[in-house]
Amino acid sequence: MASTDKAARRAKFEGAWNGIRDELLDHFKSCGMPQEAQEWYARNLDYNVPGGKLNRGMSVVDSAEILLGRKLTEEEYLQAAVLGWGVELLQAFFLVSDDLMDSSITRRGQPCWYRVPKIGFIAMNDSFMLESAIYRLLKVHFKKEPYYVDLLELFHEVTYQTEMGQLIDLITAPENEVDLNRFSLKKHSLIVIYKTAFYSFYLPVALAMLFCRIPTSYTLPSSSEPIAPYEVAKEILIPLGEYFQIQDDFLDFSGVPAQIGKVGTDIVDNKCSWCINTALAYATPEQRKILDENYGVKPTEEEKELAKRMAAGKNGEEQGYLGEAEKRVKKVFEEIGLREKYAEYEEGVYKKLNAMIDGIDEGAPGQQGVLKKQIFTSFLGKIYRRQK
């Protein structure tokens, strides 16, 4: 039943995109853009925006309904969906440009946009257009709202924060220049918070809060001090986002393709992940030497050929294939007890986040204009002990 409900929610959210997409294209056409450019922009939108899980965008709608304590009217739903698709447009902007910077090959099971024939470096401008579409939509749908400037500032601030995180990531872990001395758990935390947590977790909820007219500060009879709800939300959602990424890093190491839907590549790609940083913190000098010599090392041509042959076989796609260097790194990960350390981390952060959520004062039953615990328990419930 839950899966049917989720499918229906997704279908409704995707239905809203069709109208938003047409609105963007109609405006583009009204500016006198030639047919060729219209087709290019339409293809950019279709290829890069609606294909993902849509969790970020749908979270805006879900959070708004929790805050209001009821289903949204059709008019309210469209407004909330515009904000949700604004988050998805921002995500598309990040991914298109990130794939170009990283020379990535595939995204969401298809070639990265810049690798599509005739696209190339035009993908850079296409990514800018995806970002600018957000502000076009905000102007049309929210210009008359008292919180319009707050929406603009929120999108701009979170975009800037994400770009800061991207910078640290790019200069800390260039794919073909391995130097584990640049890595640390503190730097990993900074990258994750700025590159992922702000836009993936805080942004959708903060947008819903603005949409539902949650003030920046309020006082409840049960609390002596004024409550700053946006700060309270941030204090929970940022560590929640960090937990999500650490979980992602761990699944890249521990999961198999049949489980997580992809072959883990963090080790060969020299990613500044939680796994390598935790290993570095506990490694003996001998283990550190193995990590220095093998982390970020690409498979040999012979290993690549063997991987292809295995993939063509009965179990190849499910098992994947590890090069010798990657095997040595994973062996060190196992020796230092990475699985146990992750399990300990997960239980600790889950307990801490639940305590923070329990501390939220919701005021009187059914009270409007205040934070609701359900927003955060909903996020945490989807993440805790996930396997993919």
Side-chain angles (χ1 to χ4, degrees):
M1 188 73 180
S3 60
T4 308
D5 179 54
K6 186 177 180 181
R9 283 173 39 246
R10 182 185 173 104
K12 185 173 183 180
F13 189 64
E14 287 176 323
W17 167 248
N18 295 331
I20 291 166
R21 170 195 180 274
D22 291 346
E23 181 187 316
L24 289 168
L25 292 174
D26 287 345
H27 171 257
F28 191 75
K29 183 179 179 180
S30 75
C31 293
M33 295 295 107
Q35 184 64 29
E36 183 184 13
Q38 292 177 44
E39 291 170 2
W40 187 289
Y41 186 34
R43 193 176 174 206
N44 176 18
L45 291 170
D46 293 340
Y47 197 93
N48 295 304
V49 183
K53 296 173 187 172
L54 307 183
N55 288 337
R56 295 170 180 83
M58 289 169 62
S59 293
V60 179
V61 177
D62 294 346
S63 298
E65 291 190 333
I66 291 169
L67 288 167
L68 293 174
R70 59 172 173 79
K71 289 285 185 185
L72 302 178
T73 65
E74 283 305 309
E75 185 181 349
E76 287 171 338
Y77 185 90
L78 176 59
Q79 291 288 85
V82 166
L83 295 176
W85 281 107
V87 180
E88 294 297 331
L89 280 160
L90 187 66
Q91 158 90 336
F93 159 55
F94 291 146
L95 297 186
V96 169
S97 52
D98 187 58
D99 287 342
L100 194 53
M101 286 181 263
D102 288 349
S103 301
S104 298
I105 305 300
T106 60
R107 169 73 65 182
R108 295 170 176 169
Q110 60 185 3
C112 295
W113 178 240
Y114 80 94
R115 295 188 70 247
V116 171
K118 298 184 179 179
I119 304 298
F121 282 104
I122 299 174
M124 210 70 240
N125 190 66
D126 290 336
S127 75
F128 300 155
M129 290 188 69
L130 293 170
E131 184 197 18
S132 296
I134 299 166
Y135 299 101
R136 171 68 200 168
L137 291 170
L138 292 179
K139 181 179 179 181
V140 171
H141 291 270
F142 294 95
K143 183 81 181 282
K144 294 177 182 176
E145 300 293 347
Y147 55 90
Y148 174 57
V149 173
D150 296 317
L151 292 175
L152 296 178
E153 288 190 346
L154 179 59
F155 268 107
H156 281 307
E157 180 72 11
V158 169
T159 301
Y160 190 32
Q161 288 165 327
T162 308
E163 289 160 352
M164 286 190 236
Q166 173 74 342
L167 175 62
I168 312 169
D169 193 22
L170 288 169
I171 62 178
T172 299
E175 193 171 332
N176 297 310
E177 193 182 318
V178 183
D179 180 2
L180 298 185
N181 290 321
R182 292 174 174 167
F183 289 11
S184 69
L185 281 166
K186 184 178 179 182
K187 192 174 281 187
H188 173 264
S189 177
L190 202 59
I191 291 169
V192 166
I193 287 170
Y194 277 83
K195 187 179 176 180
T196 302
F198 277 113
Y199 95 90
S200 297
F201 288 83
Y202 177 66
L203 176 61
V205 173
L207 287 170
M209 290 169 68
L210 288 171
F211 175 72
C212 295
R213 316 293 204 277
I214 304 294
T216 54
S217 175
Y218 54 77
T219 305
L220 295 172
S222 50
S223 59
S224 55
E225 296 293 321
I227 295 166
Y230 292 86
E231 289 307 310
V232 172
K234 194 180 292 183
E235 284 168 9
I236 296 172
L237 292 165
I238 296 308
L240 188 66
E242 187 175 12
Y243 165 35
F244 175 83
Q245 186 59 53
I246 287 173
Q247 192 177 53
D248 222 43
D249 290 354
F250 179 71
L251 287 171
D252 187 275
F253 152 67
S254 65
V256 295
Q259 169 198 343
I260 62 174
K262 63 179 181 178
V263 176
T265 60
D266 284 359
I267 292 172
V268 296
D269 288 345
N270 187 37
K271 293 292 184 184
C272 182
S273 86
W274 178 85
C275 298
I276 182 62
N277 281 295
T278 302
L280 291 171
Y282 290 95
T284 64
E286 292 78 13
Q287 289 170 327
R288 172 62 192 252
K289 187 170 185 290
I290 293 169
L291 295 174
D292 281 328
E293 291 172 353
N294 293 279
Y295 198 77
V297 173
K298 305 293 184 194
T300 64
E301 290 305 315
E302 291 81 0
E303 287 170 339
K304 286 180 186 175
E305 190 57 40
L306 180 56
K308 282 181 189 174
R309 289 205 300 273
M310 285 184 69
K314 185 178 178 182
N315 297 318
E317 287 183 10
E318 286 142 15
Q319 294 176 350
Y321 176 76
L322 301 181
E324 291 305 315
E326 188 175 1
K327 282 182 187 174
R328 287 190 280 269
V329 171
K330 284 199 167 189
K331 186 168 182 285
V332 172
F333 286 0
E334 298 288 7
E335 287 170 356
I336 67 148
L338 199 65
R339 294 174 191 273
E340 294 75 18
K341 285 179 170 49
Y342 173 75
E344 185 182 339
Y345 161 78
E346 183 167 46
E347 293 311 310
V349 76
Y350 181 70
K351 187 177 178 182
K352 181 182 175 184
L353 287 167
N354 268 317
M356 293 171 78
I357 294 166
D358 286 342
I360 293 173
D361 190 340
E362 297 181 317
Q367 184 165 343
Q368 298 290 301
V370 296
L371 266 187
K372 300 292 181 184
K373 295 177 184 180
Q374 190 187 341
I375 291 176
F376 307 100
T377 54
S378 172
F379 269 105
L380 189 55
K382 291 172 189 169
I383 295 169
Y384 181 55
R385 289 188 176 176
R386 72 185 172 100
Q387 296 298 309
K388 60 180 180 179

